[in-house]
Amino acid sequence: MTEPGERRRRTTSTATRERGVRDARDAARHAADALSELIRHRLEGVSAVRRSEDGGWIVNVDVLEVARIPDTTSLLATYEVELDAPGDLIQYRRIARYRRGAQDQ
């Protein structure tokens, strides 16, 4: 409880929901945070961000699924994460799985 005259602190997610996702960088951060809470794999980075038709965001997040030695044989995956305009998770799905050392086709 706050004392009279004090401002109540808001969590990042509450503050973000009130103002929505501002830009692609914000969308990438929200998608990565939401995905990491669900799948518990180490994030490697974001490889794509784009607007969806309904004003939300579609973000591709790369994660380390199976760590191996040498590192070039580790298995990575790309997940497509869909956010609504305020930045809340709508859905996610794995769209690719590959070896770290594999070249793009």
Side-chain angles (χ1 to χ4, degrees):
M1 194 82 129
T2 59
E3 295 293 322
E6 287 184 5
R7 296 179 82 185
R8 187 174 177 185
R9 295 182 72 179
R10 290 186 268 175
T11 63
T12 304
S13 60
T14 304
T16 302
R17 274 189 222 122
E18 290 176 3
R19 71 172 183 268
V21 175
R22 295 180 312 232
D23 55 19
R25 182 180 303 150
D26 225 14
R29 193 172 299 120
H30 279 75
D33 289 346
L35 187 64
S36 69
E37 289 177 14
L38 295 171
I39 64 171
R40 305 288 185 204
H41 291 298
R42 190 179 92 198
L43 302 181
E44 292 286 312
V46 172
S47 54
V49 179
R50 67 182 187 279
R51 281 277 194 181
S52 63
E53 293 177 8
D54 63 358
W57 296 89
I58 298 173
V59 182
N60 290 359
V61 180
D62 300 320
V63 301
L64 175 65
E65 287 201 332
V66 180
R68 292 187 177 156
I69 298 174
D71 191 46
T72 55
T73 62
S74 294
L75 292 178
L76 294 121
T78 299
Y79 285 80
E80 182 179 83
V81 180
E82 186 176 348
L83 305 174
D84 61 9
D88 294 319
L89 178 71
I90 295 174
Q91 65 180 347
Y92 76 95
R93 66 189 180 108
R94 183 171 64 190
I95 59 173
R97 195 169 193 202
Y98 53 95
R99 270 191 2 260
R100 183 184 299 275
Q103 296 180 354
D104 288 344
Q105 299 294 325

